[in-house]
Amino acid sequence: MSNIVVVAEVRGGQLKRTTLEAVTAGLQLAQKSGGKVIAIACGSGLDGACAELAGSGVHRVVAVDGPAFAHYSGDGYARAVAEHAKAAGAGAVLMAHTAMGKDLLPRVSALLEGSIATDAIAVACDGGTFGATRPVFAGKAAMTVRAKQAPFCVTLRPNNFAVAGGGGSAEVTKAAPPAGDLLSVVKEIVASATGRTPLQEAKVVVAGGRGLREAEQFKLIEDLAAAFGPGVAAVGASRAVVDAGWRPHREQVGQTGKVVSPPLYIAVGISGAIQHLAGMRTARTIVAINKDADAPIFKVADYGIVGDAFEVVPALTKAIAEVVKHK
Amino acid sequence: MDIVVCIKRVPATDTAIKIAADGKSIDPAGVTFELNAYDEFALEQALRLKEQLGQGSVTVVTIGSKDAQKELRDALARGADKAVLLTTDQWVFDGASTAAALAAWIRTVPCQLVLCGRQAVDADNNQLPANLAARLGFACVTEVAKLTLEGGAFTAERDIEGAREVLTCRTPAVISCQKGLNEPRYANLKGIMAAKKKPLEEAAAQLPTPALEVVSLALPPQRAAGRILGNGAEAVPALIAALRDEAKVL
């Protein structure tokens, strides 16, 4: 009868979509454990986000709401989440594997003296024991683990669970942030100038590699991404082009960059080195465009076009724009 | 400032992984190992902070087998003052155990700052720094891409989804380092010679009972063979049709 806690992420008053994916995983586990799903949100001015959470299918919402939490503080939020997760009788604590989730949940796990599995792609509850499956060695292998210490804290890879179907109107309980000094706190959030779609949350990732020959040619990749419409696609890059200084590291997909799992991944001029495959092989559909018919990327791609990026990509951009226009 | 840098010996990123007969670990035969790439940024930042302050110490620590002496010597050659090997013959995959063992050791040494790579590229946990900080009661910022120290407090910048966070962070602190934080130096001959005389201590790692149990380690499911739709721009209509009607992603 273990309860499941889902830690919500609220940015600028908005509930993150990845939180609703975590609710889905939480409801799955609760069905097996026989417990309830309690969502915990931290921040300031949480009414809108909590109303959305209350209708997401969870059984209860705890809002730790106050001016002290206006900005993210890893240690402050962790103390609040740990306190309320304990009070909720959590057997498992779930959160999305986002910048905040990666930073927050390990602290919660330490404070609760529990176990932790990060970046999970599946969760389970078998005979009252929680478990998870997660990629290791950058996706070259998958490890399935079982918790031996409660609570079991899990961060979930974005885009691996459907967004919760919604329903119900859970009770929202308010609590004040715990007293005490904050050791680290966000003092400023600088939005990226372009307001681009975050790579790990994008529905479509269009990634370019050395086959584009020079930095300026990434315009082709940007145009293709833009053709999917606003907020849909993000631009990614191979390690080779990041190391060459063509693109910033935040766009790197692969073992020493980001691991992405979008519904659609389009690799342009990327040969498919083992480090790169590690970062995108869990994408649902993979398209590869490469001049070299023997490139390893074609081994993982669902659909391939052998050809020159400078010829194929503009044609694809035009065709995608047509499809999007008529949707 | 006394700085501890946590490092790890990991399989090289271009190594193919084979599963051992027990179905729960990797077969180390034929695997080449190297210093975890992110830890190089942590070590470099420690050396720069010591240079900036003109005082203090840099100690590198790892949990691992005796083989990890190689990576520790490399860190000494790059400029660390002292190395500590917390020995175990097991592959520690469980982040909570690693954090507990490191916390137990760090409490016994002077330390105002712990620097780590953002994650070790074997277990890919990306959870040790924050977990360790919570155990030690230290401040913490993870995945830091820019770090400045002024008046005894850090200002750290890190990339979040679609934006950059600027944080203030007190000491003592645990900071985890992202690629791009700095350009790591390599050991030169003088450093390599000097490293031979620097202390490398060993002690048994105080690992608790793991909080997780491995059920299985398996190769990822192979993707079904895809197909080449054609050559050049002429294949674009076939691709659009496949994405719309078959994959249903458009």
Side-chain angles (χ1 to χ4, degrees), chain A residues 216-291:
Chain A
E216 290 67 34
Q217 303 292 359
F218 250 79
K219 175 96 175 33
L220 287 177
I221 302 296
E222 286 172 350
D223 289 348
L224 176 52
F228 284 92
V232 176
V235 171
S238 72
R239 177 176 173 169
V241 305
V242 170
D243 285 351
W246 297 2
R247 303 300 292 186
H249 176 246
R250 64 168 185 274
E251 291 182 1
Q252 186 183 323
V253 173
Q255 187 156 17
T256 52
K258 292 197 167 73
V259 174
V260 298
S261 200
L264 176 60
Y265 188 89
I266 304 178
V268 180
I270 293 176
S271 65
I274 192 164
Q275 297 99 326
H276 186 78
L277 301 184
M280 42 64 84
R281 66 183 310 153
T282 55
R284 183 143 34 100
T285 301
I286 298 174
V287 172
I289 299 165
N290 204 295
K291 241 178 11 190

Side-chain angles (χ1 to χ4, degrees), chain A residues 3-7 35-40 58-62 84 88-90:
Chain A
N3 287 333
I4 313 297
V5 160
V6 172
V7 184
K36 301 228 179 301
V37 177
I38 297 105
I40 301 176
V58 304
H59 303 99
R60 194 153 61 83
V61 179
V62 178
H84 292 283

